[in-house]
């Protein structure tokens, strides 16, 4: 594995001020990074902010005043992409006001040929475009834009090395994202991720545990291990380690802290993993296990490699082994060819499992994936109707789970201030948010909270 410090020559992390002054006619450079999509993207965005800061820039949350704008994109659904193109289009005005402005677009969208072509042709004010495989060249590419004053497009790289040691500027001082692996080898038939993020590769356990230890020493209280399919962790490493063993090692640090992880694939979720969670001191009793569909025919067409029954078996085992388990999942409604009866299988699974929360999506065709070639006769309006049914069922379940919490006490980690220094967000081990309205400011600390009220989807509580 390569260390960023070994690559200083190539990865010039210091801005060449002569260049900068030439481009911007000023010494203080403001950079704005907007991230769309999943936590993996958030983590990439935090790394870019770290690099920009190390280069000498000031990170700003004001796009209007920025000298450098980075749009870190997501490609998972068409809706996300349309929104991002809307955002990129709006930057034309800023570039007109300030021709020295540098605009870069990166992330999952920019590993797709059609999207790159679209930016090339329709968004001429974008200076730099680079894909997920070229992230490690970020500072160098930026300097090249300053130096050469021409548009730079870098994508399609096959570089699947893992680069360690880059600076990271984290958005939170309480909760930190730590990638444990990158890419995905599963090729679910609807999903663009394996095409834009490449093959599965794991970080060395030592690097992950070192990072975790340093974060805990620096006061972080919650570590979220990230990967598209964390259960595949370690498969291609030289060392003999799997995800359950990594979790056991991460459970051994001192003090009060939490470990979460996402995402797990049901085909690889082992009893050993569930036992590890059950026996741990610090791993949250919260399991995000996307099932996508409750119909075996649809699961097969999705290339998910498990069945409804095998999914329910794992859930059953987890419920028996893990005390106060909270479950969440992802669901796709309206996969090509899905019938209303097959959708009912999804609904019945939701009723049977009783998830604490769900992430629900209407199927979105992604060009280049096998599912995009399938006939898709059910109109969007009908799929939206199914989705509404699903949301109604889940709302009732969530409300019952919330109502059951009334008057009870929960250990919460107070994450952040909700705006006016009198309300704070605390999270339970099960990842439920409680709005703390009494008892003081515990941001960054653990505390016991009592649930006082349930209003719609919001739980209100006080520190006791
Ligand atoms: N259409 C709709 N939802 C999708 N997901 C992935 N690809 C698609 C798609 N083409 C959902 C899955 C996945 C989550 C991250 O996004 O539910 O688990
Ligand atoms: Fe996409 Fe499937 Fe990989 Fe998840 S496991 S990232 S849904 S291909």
């Amino acid at each position: 594995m390569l260390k960023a410090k070994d690559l200083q020559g190539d990865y010039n992390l210091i801005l060449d001020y002569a260049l900068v002054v030439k481009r911007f006619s000023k010494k203080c450079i403001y950079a704005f990074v907007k991230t769309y999509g999943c936590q993996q993207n958030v983590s990439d965005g935090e790394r870019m902010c770290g690099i920009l800061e190390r280069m000498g820039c000031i990170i700003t949350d004001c796009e209007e005043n920025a000298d450098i704008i980075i749009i870190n994109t997501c490609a998972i659904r068409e809706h996300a992409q349309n929104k991002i193109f809307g955002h990129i289009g709006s930057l034309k005005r800023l570039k007109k006001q300030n021709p020295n402005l540098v605009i870069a677009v990166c992330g999952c969208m920019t590993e797709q040929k059609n999207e790159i072509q679209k930016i090339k042709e329709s968004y001429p004010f974008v200076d730099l475009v680079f894909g997920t495989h070229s992230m490690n060249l970020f500072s160098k590419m930026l300097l090249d834009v300053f130096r050469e004053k021409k548009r730079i497009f870098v994508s399609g790289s096959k570089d699947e090395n893992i680069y360690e040691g880059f600076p990271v500027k984290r958005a939170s001082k309480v909760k930190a994202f730590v990638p444990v692996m990158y890419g995905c080898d599963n090729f679910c038939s609807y999903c663009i991720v394996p095409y834009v993020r490449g093959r599965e590769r794991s970080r060395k356990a030592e690097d992950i545990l070192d990072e975790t230890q340093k974060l805990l020493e620096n006061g972080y209280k919650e570590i979220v291990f990230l990967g598209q399919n964390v259960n595949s962790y370690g498969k291609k490493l030289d060392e003999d380690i799997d995800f359950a063993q990594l979790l056991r090692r991460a459970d051994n640090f001192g003090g009060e802290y939490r470990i979460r992880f996402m995402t797990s694939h049901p085909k690889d979720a082992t009893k050993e993993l569930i036992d590890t969670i059950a026996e741990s001191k610090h791993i949250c009793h919260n399991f995000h296990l996307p099932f996508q569909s409750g119909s075996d025919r649809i699961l097969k067409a999705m290339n998910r490699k498990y069945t409804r029954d095998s999914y329910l078996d794992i859930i059953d085992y987890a419920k028996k082994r893990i005390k106060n388990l909270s479950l969440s999942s992802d669901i796709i409604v309206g996969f090509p060819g899905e019938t209303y009866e097959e959708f009912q299988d999804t609904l019945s699974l939701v009723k049977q499992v009783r998830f604490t929360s769900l992430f629900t999506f209407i199927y979105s065709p992604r060009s280049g994936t096998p599912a995009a070639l399938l006939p898709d006769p059910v109109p969007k309006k009908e799929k939206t109707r199914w989705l509404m049914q699903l949301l109604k069922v889940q709302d009732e379940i969530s409300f019952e789970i919330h109502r059951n919490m009334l008057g009870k006490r929960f250990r919460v980690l107070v994450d952040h201030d909700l705006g006016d220094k009198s309300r704070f967000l605390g999270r339970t081990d099960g990842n439920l948010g409680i709005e703390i309205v009494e008892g003081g400011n515990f941001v960054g600390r653990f505390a016991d909270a009592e649930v006082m009220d349930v209003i719609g989807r919001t739980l209100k509580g006080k520190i006791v």
Side-chain angles (χ1 to χ4, degrees), residues 184 186-188 190-191 193-194 228 265 304:
C184 180
N186 289 315
F187 291 93
C188 300
Y190 51 81
C191 185
V193 169
Q228 307 297 341
H265 194 305
R304 290 289 288 177

Side-chain angles (χ1 to χ4, degrees), residues 111 113-114 170 236 248 287 293 296 317 352 421:
E111 282 292 352
K113 283 201 179 86
N114 332 350
R170 297 180 192 274
K236 297 177 194 168
R248 279 189 203 273
F287 204 8
S293 165
D296 281 342
Y317 185 75
Q352 187 170 342
K421 300 256 183 276

Side-chain angles (χ1 to χ4, degrees), residues 38 75-78 189-193 228 263 288 290-292 304 329-333 359-366 369:
C38 65
I76 198 99
R77 281 170 290 275
E78 199 179 358
S189 65
Y190 51 81
C191 185
I192 196 74
V193 169
Q228 307 297 341
T263 294
H288 181 68
F291 73 91
Q292 314 295 359
R304 290 289 288 177
S329 198
D330 295 349
I331 296 176
I332 297 178
V333 171
F359 300 87
T360 52
F361 312 101
I362 290 185
Y363 168 74
S364 169
R366 307 316 292 134
T369 62

Side-chain angles (χ1 to χ4, degrees), residues 36 41 48 93 131 133 173 206 223 276 325 336 345 354 416:
Y36 289 91
N41 261 20
M48 283 188 277
R93 179 184 60 86
H133 293 275
K173 294 203 163 12
E206 188 194 333
I223 309 295
T276 304
L325 175 65
D345 292 337
R354 297 180 63 79
H416 61 273

